[in-house]
Amino acid sequence: MSLPLNIDWQQILLHLFNFAILAGGLYFLLYHPVKSFMEQREAHYREMEQSAQDRLEQAERLKAEREEQLRQVDQEMEQHRAQAAQAAEQEAQQTIAQAQKKAEQLMEKAKANTEREHERMLQTARQEVTDLAMTATEKLLLQSESDPYDQFLDLVEGKESHEDA
């Protein structure tokens, strides 16, 4: 049975069968492995992107936590500075108060020493005046054979007359 145009259905079916085998073989040998490789690669890159995104989010969280910790540390340092400044101010005030107290004590001691020295000098001066008066009286007594009171009065009257002149 020959068909017009020399078409043999058996040959057409064999060619279709060969084509199906070729297409199936190419699908399983080339298309399916390449497609699965591409899907695996795409999945791998999606996983890498997701892990990179996760790490980025984690890094941003850590950065925010560290910034918060730094702010807290800065606040604590500022508090410590303020406390240290206050303590230093108190210590300075105490030192100044102690220095003033010592200065007052020293001034009191110096005043007491000055007064004692003044009294001692007055006592010494009185003693010297007394000694001089005694020495002068002795000299006058030794020099004169007359009444010492008369000579003293003459001496005093002589000074008064010199002062009046």
Side-chain angles (χ1 to χ4, degrees), residues 59-139:
E60 288 175 356
R61 280 194 312 268
L62 286 174
K63 181 182 176 186
E65 289 174 8
R66 296 298 183 247
E67 287 175 353
E68 181 62 29
Q69 287 175 350
L70 284 173
R71 271 189 245 116
Q72 289 175 356
V73 167
D74 286 342
Q75 289 174 349
E76 288 176 9
M77 288 176 59
E78 190 60 36
Q79 289 174 351
H80 287 298
R81 278 190 211 119
Q83 289 173 351
Q86 186 178 13
E89 181 66 27
Q90 288 175 351
E91 189 173 324
Q93 292 296 330
Q94 289 175 350
T95 304
I96 289 170
Q98 289 174 352
Q100 287 176 341
K101 187 176 179 180
K102 279 190 174 185
E104 288 173 3
Q105 290 174 350
L106 287 174
M107 289 299 290
E108 288 175 9
K109 283 182 182 178
K111 187 176 180 180
N113 286 340
T114 304
E115 288 177 5
R116 275 183 284 171
E117 184 65 23
H118 182 261
E119 286 298 319
R120 188 187 62 77
M121 289 175 73
L122 282 177
Q123 186 66 25
T124 303
R126 284 184 192 139
Q127 184 64 36
E128 287 178 2
V129 167
T130 304
D131 289 346
L132 284 175
M134 292 292 284
T135 305
T137 306
E138 286 176 4
K139 283 185 181 180

Side-chain angles (χ1 to χ4, degrees), residues 23-88:
L26 287 176
Y27 176 80
F28 285 112
L29 291 175
L30 293 177
Y31 181 74
H32 183 67
V34 169
K35 186 177 178 187
S36 65
F37 174 75
M38 292 300 280
E39 288 173 355
Q40 287 175 354
R41 188 171 180 162
E42 189 176 317
H44 174 71
Y45 283 125
R46 264 187 266 139
E47 288 175 11
M48 284 177 52
E49 183 179 348
Q50 185 63 36
S51 75
Q53 189 67 28
D54 292 344
R55 283 184 287 187
L56 180 63
E57 290 173 3
Q58 184 179 9
E60 288 175 356
R61 280 194 312 268
L62 286 174
K63 181 182 176 186
E65 289 174 8
R66 296 298 183 247
E67 287 175 353
E68 181 62 29
Q69 287 175 350
L70 284 173
R71 271 189 245 116
Q72 289 175 356
V73 167
D74 286 342
Q75 289 174 349
E76 288 176 9
M77 288 176 59
E78 190 60 36
Q79 289 174 351
H80 287 298
R81 278 190 211 119
Q83 289 173 351
Q86 186 178 13

